[in-house]
Amino acid sequence: MNSTLKMLTASLLCLHLAGCEYVDNILHPDDTDETVIDEKFKNDALQLGLSEAIVTQLCTATKEISVKCISVLNSETNQQEVRFEYTYNNVTQNNDYAKSTDASRIIFHLSVDNTAARIEFENNRSYQFNDGYEYTWVEPTDITTAIVVNDANESLTKLENSAVIKRVTNSKLTNVSTASLNNDQYSITEAQDIVNSANTVLFPVLVVSVTSSDQTVPVDASFDMFTTGHSAILSNFSSAFSTAIEQSWF
């Protein structure tokens, strides 16, 4: 069913957080057929080269993927940011020693004030270890590389990966990995070829081990790479990404 674009002022429907303006039902998809886009965000995106039809496509959430369409002044750089954020959230895996919760995001940053346009891929994994276990981890040798692959699991491009690993508590570990492609390194056609063919992004996986009072020899408690989230986002939005690249990737 076609979505209906309804323009409402920010004073009525937008949430205002630290200068960030976005719409509640875009952040939290509901059962309505309506796509509500803040007028200020829409105007900013149009001025940066996007068509109204593509703004609507890019801001339309799905049942599994939430979307934030954000125009905000970055307080650190004092620069305007206009971006689309896609999140496939809170997928849980379990083994005998821990629970892993994953969130996948893709963030499409438009070029503003001579900043680079870029598509950022993020994988956020949280480990919650069972009571009685102590954990350690080892970084893989390829931790600085994320690989964009096609349906045949063939590499389309390798991206520089930045991993932030944090021991939150004695029973909780987090690992946030990010990698991006931008218009400084990839031409319009190169970026389009990648997003049109991409199936998912392969991020490095930590090697996690646990011990306990009954298990003094470390036991592998690692989880497989999580790829479903980026696959789902790309499956739903790669065509719109490709058009947005053509319109704004300068």
Side-chain angles (χ1 to χ4, degrees):
M1 193 177 299
N2 292 330
S3 296
T4 303
L5 175 64
K6 184 177 180 182
M7 299 306 304
L8 294 172
T9 62
S11 60
L12 291 175
L13 284 182
C14 288
L15 302 177
H16 299 276
L17 300 176
C20 173
E21 300 182 357
Y22 56 88
V23 179
D24 193 29
N25 80 320
I26 294 297
L27 213 180
H28 307 289
D30 54 30
D31 293 329
T32 69
D33 292 326
E34 213 166 45
T35 299
V36 184
I37 304 174
D38 170 39
E39 188 170 4
K40 179 184 182 304
F41 174 86
K42 178 188 174 184
N43 289 337
D44 288 344
L46 293 178
Q47 288 176 8
L48 294 172
L50 296 187
S51 67
E52 184 171 339
I54 283 299
V55 172
T56 302
Q57 273 188 265
L58 291 171
C59 287
T60 301
T62 74
K63 182 178 180 180
E64 296 180 325
I65 301 165
S66 65
V67 183
K68 298 179 187 179
C69 297
I70 298 173
S71 179
V72 59
L73 182 67
N74 187 313
S75 59
E76 295 182 1
T77 64
N78 201 36
Q79 288 183 319
Q80 189 72 16
E81 294 183 5
V82 181
R83 62 185 188 266
F84 304 84
E85 298 184 357
Y86 304 85
T87 304
Y88 188 99
N89 213 9
N90 296 334
V91 177
T92 301
Q93 299 170 282
N94 293 276
N95 61 27
D96 292 337
Y97 312 102
K99 176 176 72 173
S100 166
T101 303
D102 291 273
S104 302
R105 293 206 303 166
I106 295 180
I107 307 169
F108 194 119
H109 300 261
L110 297 179
S111 176
V112 182
D113 297 333
N114 297 318
T115 61
R118 71 186 192 275
I119 298 177
E120 181 180 0
F121 303 94
E122 178 185 297
N123 186 65
N124 187 330
R125 170 169 272 174
S126 174
Y127 303 79
Q128 184 66 51
F129 295 90
N130 296 347
D131 292 343
Y133 288 102
E134 297 181 359
Y135 67 89
T136 57
W137 74 89
V138 176
E139 296 179 2
T141 56
D142 61 348
I143 192 152
T144 59
T145 303
I147 306 173
V148 183
V149 297
N150 60 18
D151 290 339
N153 215 37
E154 298 167 334
S155 174
L156 298 173
T157 189
K158 293 183 179 181
L159 305 175
E160 182 178 353
N161 178 52
S162 174
V164 178
I165 305 164
K166 184 177 181 181
R167 181 186 290 271
V168 181
T169 67
N170 289 335
S171 61
K172 185 175 181 178
L173 172 70
T174 60
N175 178 22
V176 180
S177 295
T178 56
S180 62
L181 55 90
N182 61 61
N183 65 343
D184 287 337
Q185 297 174 306
Y186 296 87
S187 68
I188 290 176
T189 55
E190 288 172 335
Q192 286 180 309
D193 287 345
I194 291 170
V195 299
N196 285 330
S197 300
N199 176 59
T200 194
V201 183
L202 306 181
F203 281 98
V205 176
L206 296 182
V207 179
V208 180
S209 301
V210 295
T211 57
S212 68
S213 57
D214 298 325
Q215 181 65 54
T216 56
V217 177
V219 177
D220 183 23
S222 305
F223 288 91
D224 292 337
M225 184 182 302
F226 181 73
T227 60
T228 304
H230 288 118
S231 292
I233 297 171
L234 288 166
S235 175
N236 281 274
F237 293 98
S238 61
S239 177
F241 290 163
S242 180
T243 303
I245 289 170
E246 183 176 354
Q247 294 178 352
S248 66
W249 201 267
F250 305 119

